[in-house]
Amino acid sequence: MAVQSMTGFARAAGEHDGSAFTWELRSVNGRGLEARVRLPQGFERLELAARQAIQKRFSRGNVQANLSHARVGPAGAPVVNEAFLKQVADLARHMQAEYGCAPPSADGLLALKGVLETPNGLEPQDGQGGLDKAVMQALDSALDALETARCSEGTALAKVVLQQVERIEALTQRVEKDPSREPEAIRERLAGQIKLLSDASDQFDEQRLHMEAVLLASKADIREEIDRLKAHVAAARSMLDEGGTIGRRLDFLAQEFGRESNTLCAKSNAASVTAIGLELKVVVDQLREQVQNLE
């Protein structure tokens, strides 16, 4: 299955029996799936069907679907709202008689909002079922295009994520092979610390110092962190190969990467390991930013 991004844009237009309509779809990041549908007056009946169509296609992202509609051809001729025109004319005559205002002109009355109407945005009374079908078919086309856009960006993002996982793997291998982790280097470092303490005072119990040194060395061991980082790298690769809706799982895995890198830095007793751990934390932060864009 393809990996999808949660961001994308698509548009699809159509015509039916004197009606022209256009769907515009926008998708951005979201913790779950939120489908928002904006419809012109008279098309409210399609809101539920449009929302369900979006929910069938996607599992995450905030998707905004906007429908615009207009009448075309002869059916688009303007219509006078005579009831409203009469009310406005009566008010104008009252103001003329009461306050001496100038009499209203015909073009002035027709220019008032609501007096002259066009059927744009209103659905035809006949053939409503055919129009609904055509509008929903256009929505399907727009959803196809949006899915294609999200898949295209998702494929590109997956490559970036894989590169970051490979970088994490390389840094983990560097930590594992760092000379400071060699048994001889550890012994020399501990021996030097014990000698400093012994030289500072003759009251230290040398055997107790050795026991404490062994305990400290075991607490500073980062073998478990290295093993867990390797396991997380394998899990990330498996998810990317699997594809589909892996964004949440990758985000959780990125948090685990972060925990291991923090622990590695905290346990480090060598400047070289600390430097690698800090670099690892930077890559993990970059990984988290990218996986939060995936569905």
Side-chain angles (χ1 to χ4, degrees):
M1 295 178 63
V3 177
Q4 285 194 33
S5 165
M6 284 189 284
T7 59
F9 174 81
R11 182 199 303 265
E15 292 187 10
H16 177 80
D17 194 23
S19 289
F21 43 84
T22 302
W23 282 102
E24 285 192 355
L25 306 183
R26 290 178 173 83
S27 176
V28 296
N29 296 0
R31 293 182 63 85
L33 176 64
E34 183 176 0
R36 298 180 181 180
V37 180
R38 295 180 60 184
L39 302 170
Q41 182 180 359
F43 283 82
E44 293 85 357
R45 62 186 179 276
L46 297 180
E47 180 174 358
L48 179 59
R51 196 183 305 276
Q52 290 175 340
I54 295 170
Q55 292 169 344
K56 288 179 181 178
R57 295 293 192 104
F58 309 112
S59 61
R60 289 185 70 196
N62 294 329
V63 181
Q64 175 76 56
N66 297 329
L67 174 66
S68 60
H69 170 261
R71 296 288 294 165
V72 294
V79 176
V80 176
N81 187 336
E82 295 188 8
F84 183 55
L85 175 60
K86 183 177 184 305
Q87 293 177 2
V88 173
D90 289 344
L91 178 61
R93 283 194 292 269
H94 171 73
M95 293 180 65
Q96 180 184 7
E98 189 71 23
Y99 304 107
C101 297
S105 62
D107 58 345
L109 290 174
L110 291 175
L112 292 175
K113 184 177 181 180
V115 173
L116 195 62
E117 297 178 337
T118 61
N120 291 350
L122 302 176
E123 82 276 20
Q125 297 303 312
D126 299 327
Q128 190 177 87
L131 175 61
D132 288 358
K133 183 178 179 180
V135 169
M136 293 306 296
Q137 286 176 343
L139 176 58
D140 283 339
S141 297
L143 288 170
D144 287 340
L146 181 61
E147 187 172 357
T148 299
R150 286 173 45 135
C151 285
S152 177
E153 184 172 343
T155 299
L157 281 175
K159 292 179 180 178
V160 174
V161 170
L162 180 59
Q163 290 173 354
Q164 291 166 336
V165 170
E166 291 173 344
R167 181 62 178 152
I168 291 172
E169 182 180 40
L171 290 170
T172 302
Q173 291 172 349
R174 280 178 55 190
V175 169
E176 186 175 30
K177 297 176 181 178
D178 191 87
S180 66
R181 297 192 66 252
E182 293 294 331
E184 185 60 33
I186 296 173
R187 279 195 297 270
E188 289 180 2
R189 186 163 57 248
L190 291 175
Q193 293 170 349
I194 292 172
K195 186 176 185 304
L196 286 174
L197 290 173
S198 299
D199 292 344
S201 173
D202 56 1
Q203 297 179 359
F204 287 108
D205 184 342
E206 189 170 339
Q207 185 176 1
R208 179 64 181 272
L209 281 175
H210 278 288
M211 291 176 61
E212 292 292 339
V214 171
L215 180 61
L216 289 173
S218 64
K219 288 183 177 179
D221 184 31
I222 56 175
R223 179 73 258 170
E224 290 184 6
E225 285 68 32
I226 292 172
D227 290 341
R228 282 195 288 266
L229 284 169
K230 287 183 175 181
H232 296 336
V233 166
R237 278 206 173 99
S238 177
M239 289 180 196
L240 290 169
D241 289 340
E242 174 188 341
T245 55
I246 59 174
R248 284 182 183 274
R249 288 185 290 159
L250 280 174
D251 187 34
F252 174 77
L253 198 60
Q255 294 178 43
E256 293 300 306
F257 275 126
R259 273 190 275 272
E260 300 304 334
S261 60
N262 286 335
T263 305
L264 190 147
C265 286
K267 290 175 118 183
S268 172
N269 52 17
S272 56
V273 173
T274 301
I276 297 172
L278 292 174
E279 188 176 353
L280 184 61
K281 290 174 69 172
V282 171
V283 179
V284 170
D285 285 342
Q286 294 171 347
L287 174 67
R288 288 201 66 186
E289 289 179 6
Q290 294 299 335
V291 299
Q292 287 174 2
N293 295 319
L294 294 176
E295 183 181 29

